[in-house]
Amino acid sequence: MAAFGISGLACPVCREHRARLFASVGGRDYLRCGNCQATFLHPNQLPSREVERHEYGRHRNRPEDPAYRAFLARLAGPLLQRLAPARNGLDYGCGPGPALAAMLEEAGHQVTLYDPFFHPDPRALETRYDFITCTEVVEHFHQPAREFARLATMLKPGGLLAIQTCLQANDARFARWNYRRDPTHVVFYRTASFLRIARRHDWNMEVPARNVVFLTRATKVRP
């Protein structure tokens, strides 16, 4: 890591200044937080919006694709079991083919779409929701702490934030991990990372399925 130093860098997930160099792979430098255990790309190497838009435009996730629906069912299944009828939700980072929103609407829920590239409606961020979904989204956050703080303001008391992302578990395989190779994947979480996020916002956390995390806001805010 000759080009960039890490002295004084704060973790973008928990904001603690406990980062250290974790790995340098393919010209990219990854840091590990000693507090929340998140692994993140050095901020000087984050992709531009042009790179992000190009990569997202290559995705071919169609709402009617059975394989894609089966993939999203890892989150949708336990979420639908949890939700009361006719809830109001937000698909945050829905992408160009909002299949999850379609699945949830088919089950009787109302879903608003938001995506900074494909559905950039700021009005969607001015409402409070019973649930918010982030499927294959949080690994793209350049400033996760800020994003989770924003999501916290949009959850009603008792509201649920449902996340699907590939949790990092094997350090020895990181360099060869296909999930890492996507140039727009810039932060990788462990269970400990989400525990820290939950504590910061006074959320309850559970892992209902592999690579799925539920964060539930308390029904009453602590004084």
Side-chain angles (χ1 to χ4, degrees), residues 6-221:
I6 63 172
S7 177
L9 279 180
C11 171
V13 176
C14 70
R15 294 179 171 156
E16 290 290 323
H17 292 259
R18 295 179 58 185
R20 60 178 174 82
L21 178 63
F22 170 68
S24 295
V25 186
R28 307 180 93 199
D29 300 313
Y30 298 91
L31 285 67
R32 166 69 55 79
C33 176
N35 181 52
C36 73
Q37 301 302 308
T39 301
F40 57 96
L41 185 67
H42 193 287
N44 287 351
Q45 299 175 334
L46 291 170
S48 66
R49 285 183 64 86
E50 290 72 20
V51 169
E52 289 182 306
R53 183 180 293 278
H54 173 73
E55 288 296 322
Y56 301 152
R58 296 172 59 188
H59 293 180
R60 294 293 181 266
N61 298 324
R62 294 177 291 106
E64 67 277 10
D65 183 354
Y68 188 43
R69 283 184 167 234
F71 173 72
L72 295 174
R74 299 179 191 175
L75 179 145
L79 177 60
L80 288 172
Q81 291 178 2
R82 180 69 57 83
L83 293 177
R87 297 295 88 183
N88 179 35
L90 172 69
D91 190 356
Y92 189 78
C94 61
L100 179 62
M103 294 165 67
L104 297 174
E105 288 180 338
E106 289 163 7
H109 302 289
Q110 178 180 342
V111 183
T112 299
L113 303 179
Y114 178 78
D115 188 283
F117 293 98
F118 303 102
H119 294 274
D121 183 359
R123 294 172 298 178
L125 307 180
E126 299 170 357
T127 302
R128 300 176 80 191
Y129 299 93
D130 299 305
F131 68 91
I132 299 173
T133 60
C134 292
T135 53
E136 297 299 311
V137 171
V138 298
E139 65 277 5
H140 300 273
F141 287 166
H142 288 196
Q143 300 185 55
R146 187 175 73 180
E147 295 283 359
F148 284 111
R150 169 192 279 180
L151 293 169
T153 67
M154 294 189 289
L155 272 180
K156 296 178 182 178
L160 191 155
L161 172 59
I163 297 166
Q164 183 170 331
T165 188
C166 195
L167 297 175
Q168 190 203 349
N170 191 327
D171 284 354
R173 297 180 57 188
F174 183 78
R176 305 186 303 277
W177 192 25
N178 191 55
Y179 204 66
R180 179 200 62 78
R181 298 176 189 274
D182 187 319
T184 63
H185 289 183
V186 299
V187 57
F188 308 97
Y189 305 81
R190 291 173 177 261
T191 302
S193 313
F194 286 112
L195 280 170
R196 292 287 181 177
I197 294 168
R199 289 172 187 167
R200 175 181 288 271
H201 297 288
D202 195 25
W203 291 335
N204 295 318
M205 175 194 149
E206 61 179 297
V207 180
R210 182 171 178 265
N211 295 328
V212 174
V213 175
F214 283 178
L215 300 171
T216 307
R217 184 181 174 187
T219 54
K220 293 184 180 180
V221 179

